[in-house]
Amino acid sequence: MNEEKKSLNFLEQIIEEDLANGLPKEKLRFRFPPEPNGYLHIGHAASICLNFGLGLKYNAPVNLRFDDTNPAKEEQEYVDSIKYDVQWLGFKWDKELYSSDYFQQLYDWTLELIKEGKAYVDNQTSEEMAKQKGTPTEVGTNSPNRDRSVEENLELFLKMKNGEFEEGSHVLRAKIDMKHVNMHMRDPIMYRILKKRHHRTGDDWCIYPMYDWTHGESDYLEQISHSICTLEFKSHRDLYDWYVNQVYDPLKLQPKQREFARRNLSYTVMSKRKLLQLVEEKIVTAWDDPRMPTISGLRRRGYTPESIKIFSETAGISKRDNVTDVALLEHCIKDDLNKTAPRVLAVLDPVKVIITNYPEEKEEFLDANYNDYEDGFGSRAVPFSREIYIEKEDFREEANKKFFRLKLGSEVRLKNAYIIKAESCLKDENGEVTEIYCTYDDDSLSGSGTEASKRKVKGTLHWVSAKHAIKAEVRVYDRLFTDEAPDGHKDKDFKEFLNPDSLTIIDAFVEPSLKTAKNLDRFQFQRLGYFCVDKDTTSTKLVFNRTVPLRDSWAKMDN
Ligand code: ATP
Ligand code: MG
């Protein structure tokens, strides 16, 4: 797409206005701030593409900041996976930073706030505090601890920090306004006690700052010009600004929080809490199970970074909550693989074909292009012999004129090979066809230039040579959920909508050139779909994942 011609999205418009109003371009700075409490998903990809995309567009730095303020849920494994995923998508961060790096600074600022009478220690129960909070239509009431002296607050806060109190017994609250129309401004909690080991700061701290207190200050410390987050934080904006204003130096840049709608995708769930549940309850094999909407799952499924970036761009960003059709994501990968994946031959549901007039000991190695219509992919040798496999559903004893595949008495072309004609077949006691007997036209080899090779026959079938083919396990995936919005039902748990048939394992035959295929290599199995090598592959066992079938439900919808 032509960069000039694309209209600006609303966040770019905001940035353009800020630049027009005097913000120097070199002050633009963005960040992507994941909490390392799970693996990234396709929703995060929207945020990554947005923030890093703005960085590229404005030639501005983008930080990768781990928002690691809850040691109960965060782990190094998640940090590592997040870094890997962002890099895999093709983005480069300016600095790798951690909110935990700012714990001391936040603590020091907090002491100042206490001294200024802007924060106090509350030792009521959370139920009592919740009651005093009021409702959106009813103002709150002050805590009896709101007017503690500065000295007492400093002393109690120090005791909190020194581990002298139990978890949940004390919190530090900002003293703002219990009557504020915005509930987030009614004396929000700044610190809670958590006696948990932190994956970076170890046992240094047992009080941890809350999201709001941490996020704005981290943005300020890093001098982020536009702190982009999702819509549910819109109501936090007043608090974000209040906190930043407490420490703001007018000579510095004041970060702005701006919100966009989170990416939701049909037929899946995207909250990390729910994804973790699927992993822990072994409903899927791991975070990178190819049915998961995680970036690692999509990668293992065969998605390319390019397809995910194009999806993010096509789906766009919005100011209102919405659901993106998963068919668009599938369309994006199909479109990319159509341009990049070599075409090979594999048979998923085989039936044997015996070519009775082909010499028994003979074998040929046919030159077959990796791609039908573009050069640059080269070709490989595909063995041909007297016994081959084709797809069961590609043969019928009798069929009407619209069946362009193999039927008794008529001809088809074998891809890259010869024209064959079905003469008879053998069936088992259930009436199932077990062998098909054909004859071939030995003058009809594809590309040989003979009259017979140019003969038009209606159907072309994929096939593999029986004695040369190698066995492979093929994992065919369907949607993990049967409902478009599995977590959108008030009275039902999202797991009630799990699709019992989301994985089918098939023993297939693939052409021998695939023997050397490596983890994540992607192919089109001709007439079947796109497949990629799974990491479970060993030197003796090939495993493929089906990325997507060939038919495209998105394109058909006339989008
Ligand atoms: P979840 O609800 O899935 O646990 P989260 O918002 O808690 O997600 P974070 O790690 O805090 O996850 O998110 C990092 C960044 O990615 C944040 O800026 C967040 O707003 C953004 N983000 C998270 N989920 C989505 C989504 N579905 N669409 C767009 N952006 C998202
Ligand atoms: Mg979060």
Side-chain angles (χ1 to χ4, degrees):
M1 225 184 287
N2 188 332
E3 201 56 31
E4 261 68 50
K5 283 195 188 142
K6 257 189 326 186
S7 59
L8 299 180
N9 67 44
F10 75 94
L11 288 170
E12 290 167 341
Q13 284 172 15
I14 289 173
I15 293 169
E16 294 291 336
E17 266 169 43
D18 291 338
L19 292 174
N21 290 333
L23 176 71
K25 190 158 177 284
E26 49 302 344
K27 294 248 163 156
L28 288 177
R29 185 181 285 269
F30 308 96
R31 91 286 172 259
F32 171 63
E35 181 179 356
N37 62 348
Y39 281 63
L40 296 180
H41 51 60
I42 187 76
H44 292 114
S47 174
I48 294 170
C49 292
L50 174 62
N51 283 295
F52 284 94
L54 289 170
L56 289 171
K57 180 175 170 132
Y58 292 102
N59 196 18
V62 185
N63 289 343
L64 174 62
R65 181 198 316 138
F66 291 97
D67 208 348
D68 56 347
T69 55
N70 184 359
K73 291 188 178 159
E74 297 157 4
E75 286 173 32
Q76 186 60 37
E77 175 195 345
Y78 298 138
V79 170
D80 296 339
S81 74
I82 289 169
K83 285 167 66 178
Y84 190 88
D85 286 349
V86 173
Q87 273 170 324
W88 179 75
L89 283 172
F91 295 114
K92 281 206 183 82
W93 53 84
D94 183 44
K95 297 197 183 78
E96 176 186 333
L97 299 164
Y98 294 80
S99 295
S100 55
D101 294 340
Y102 311 135
F103 282 172
Q104 186 62 46
Q105 172 69 79
L106 289 167
Y107 178 77
D108 293 344
W109 274 333
T110 303
L111 294 181
E112 293 307 311
L113 284 183
I114 296 176
K115 287 180 197 157
E116 289 168 25
K118 289 177 176 170
Y120 62 98
V121 173
D122 204 343
N123 58 333
Q124 299 182 92
T125 63
S126 47
E127 292 76 26
E128 282 167 326
M129 286 191 275
K131 252 188 251 153
Q132 292 156 4
K133 196 102 203 187
T135 66
T137 51
E138 248 175 275
V139 295
T141 46
N142 288 353
S143 159
N145 300 314
R146 200 171 195 262
D147 294 317
R148 278 190 212 279
S149 68
V150 168
E151 291 67 35
E152 201 184 346
N153 279 320
L154 285 173
E155 191 188 315
L156 288 171
F157 188 50
L158 192 66
K159 285 188 173 167
M160 280 174 68
K161 178 185 184 258
N162 289 341
E164 293 176 40
F165 296 133
E166 290 309 305
E167 266 186 34
S169 66
H170 293 68
V171 292
L172 184 85
R173 300 175 72 177
K175 193 168 172 179
I176 307 180
D177 181 2
M178 289 305 288
K179 298 191 173 63
H180 203 287
V181 284
N182 184 340
M183 302 254 307
H184 293 288
M185 297 293 273
R186 297 183 188 169
D187 292 8
I189 295 175
M190 295 175 71
Y191 278 93
R192 76 273 205 224
I193 300 169
L194 280 177
K195 297 199 169 165
K196 298 258 162 38
R197 213 185 146 70
H198 187 280
H199 69 108
R200 295 190 80 242
T201 58
D203 296 318
D204 290 355
W205 298 89
C206 65
I207 49 168
Y208 289 94
M210 300 297 287
Y211 172 86
D212 292 298
W213 171 231
T214 314
H215 207 89
E217 312 312 276
S218 304
D219 287 338
Y220 175 66
L221 285 167
E222 293 172 24
Q223 290 287 282
I224 302 301
S225 60
H226 296 81
S227 173
I228 299 168
C229 62
T230 41
L231 278 184
E232 68 274 22
F233 289 101
K234 194 160 193 149
S235 58
H236 294 237
R237 210 205 265 184
D238 288 339
L239 184 55
Y240 179 98
D241 290 339
W242 191 87
Y243 279 141
V244 172
N245 274 322
Q246 303 313 309
V247 302
Y248 173 57
D249 166 354
L251 292 177
K252 290 202 167 162
L253 174 142
Q254 182 164 18
K256 274 186 173 187
Q257 176 186 295
R258 292 294 177 265
E259 309 84 10
F260 73 107
R262 41 176 65 225
R263 168 88 63 246
N264 297 307
L265 200 60
S266 60
Y267 292 99
T268 193
V269 294
M270 220 114 79
S271 122
K272 279 185 278 190
R273 188 175 54 80
K274 289 176 185 153
L275 296 176
L276 179 64
Q277 230 175 307
L278 296 175
V279 176
E280 284 184 337
E281 294 173 21
K282 302 204 179 337
I283 292 165
V284 296
T285 53
W287 282 96
D288 70 349
D289 187 299
R291 292 165 292 182
M292 291 280 269
T294 50
I295 295 180
S296 48
L298 292 167
R299 172 168 59 240
R300 189 169 168 192
R301 177 85 171 247
Y303 277 75
T304 57
E306 197 54 30
S307 66
I308 293 176
K309 285 190 271 193
I310 291 192
F311 167 72
S312 294
E313 179 154 331
T314 311
I317 61 156
S318 164
K319 287 187 199 177
R320 292 219 184 88
D321 282 323
N322 62 84
V323 180
T324 305
D325 191 333
V326 68
L328 175 62
L329 179 65
E330 290 162 357
H331 170 75
C332 291
I333 184 60
K334 221 167 296 181
D335 205 44
D336 192 23
L337 292 176
N338 181 35
K339 294 177 209 136
T340 56
R343 273 61 169 162
V344 294
L345 295 165
V347 175
L348 298 188
D349 186 18
V351 59
K352 194 173 263 184
V353 171
I354 298 167
I355 303 164
T356 53
N357 60 339
Y358 195 90
E360 255 178 62
E361 294 311 316
K362 186 173 172 183
E363 56 181 16
E364 285 175 82
F365 289 86
L366 309 174
D367 186 39
N369 279 336
Y370 274 120
N371 197 324
D372 288 341
Y373 56 87
E374 272 177 47
D375 356 297
F377 275 108
S379 64
R380 81 285 185 199
V382 173
F384 186 81
S385 65
R386 179 182 159 94
E387 295 190 2
I388 62 170
Y389 292 116
I390 64 167
E391 220 66 63
K392 258 185 206 144
E393 63 164 29
D394 281 340
F395 173 73
R396 287 195 201 153
E397 285 178 87
E398 282 172 41
N400 66 24
K401 281 192 188 135
K402 285 189 188 139
F403 186 78
F404 295 135
R405 294 172 267 173
L406 190 63
K407 58 188 169 196
L408 289 182
S410 69
E411 290 186 323
V412 290
R413 171 168 292 286
L414 295 173
K415 181 76 192 165
N416 299 120
Y418 297 97
I419 294 172
I420 58 169
K421 181 176 176 190
E423 309 284 357
S424 62
C425 65
L426 193 69
K427 287 188 274 189
D428 63 13
E429 61 274 22
N430 303 322
E432 237 195 86
V433 176
T434 52
E435 282 181 358
I436 306 160
Y437 300 97
C438 293
T439 50
Y440 87 120
D441 177 349
D442 70 349
D443 214 21
S444 65
L445 182 63
S446 295
S448 63
T450 61
E451 280 311 307
S453 74
K454 291 180 198 151
R455 201 144 60 74
K456 289 267 174 283
V457 286
K458 282 263 164 66
T460 300
L461 301 187
H462 59 278
W463 56 276
V464 290
S465 163
K467 85 171 165 203
H468 301 92
I470 47 181
K471 280 197 177 145
E473 176 178 314
V474 174
R475 299 174 183 170
V476 175
Y477 300 101
D478 196 354
R479 290 175 180 159
L480 191 50
F481 295 95
T482 52
D483 191 84
E484 264 186 61
D487 53 4
H489 300 262
K490 273 206 195 94
D491 45 346
K492 284 189 176 156
D493 186 68
F494 73 103
K495 284 182 290 178
E496 288 184 39
F497 300 99
L498 280 163
N499 175 4
D501 300 318
S502 60
L503 168 63
T504 310
I505 295 181
I506 291 174
D507 285 321
F509 286 113
V510 301
E511 63 167 78
S513 74
L514 292 177
K515 197 166 185 157
T516 52
K518 291 183 299 299
N519 187 24
L520 293 184
D521 281 354
R522 306 176 183 96
F523 301 93
Q524 185 194 92
F525 288 178
Q526 285 188 302
R527 298 183 63 230
L528 295 171
Y530 294 99
F531 295 78
C532 89
V533 178
D534 188 77
K535 69 176 187 190
D536 289 344
T537 293
T538 63
S539 57
T540 51
K541 184 183 177 195
L542 257 177
V543 182
F544 285 94
N545 295 314
R546 187 176 75 180
T547 311
V548 265
L550 279 185
R551 79 192 125 72
D552 194 325
S553 46
W554 178 259
K556 258 191 254 149
M557 283 191 289
D558 247 354
N559 284 287

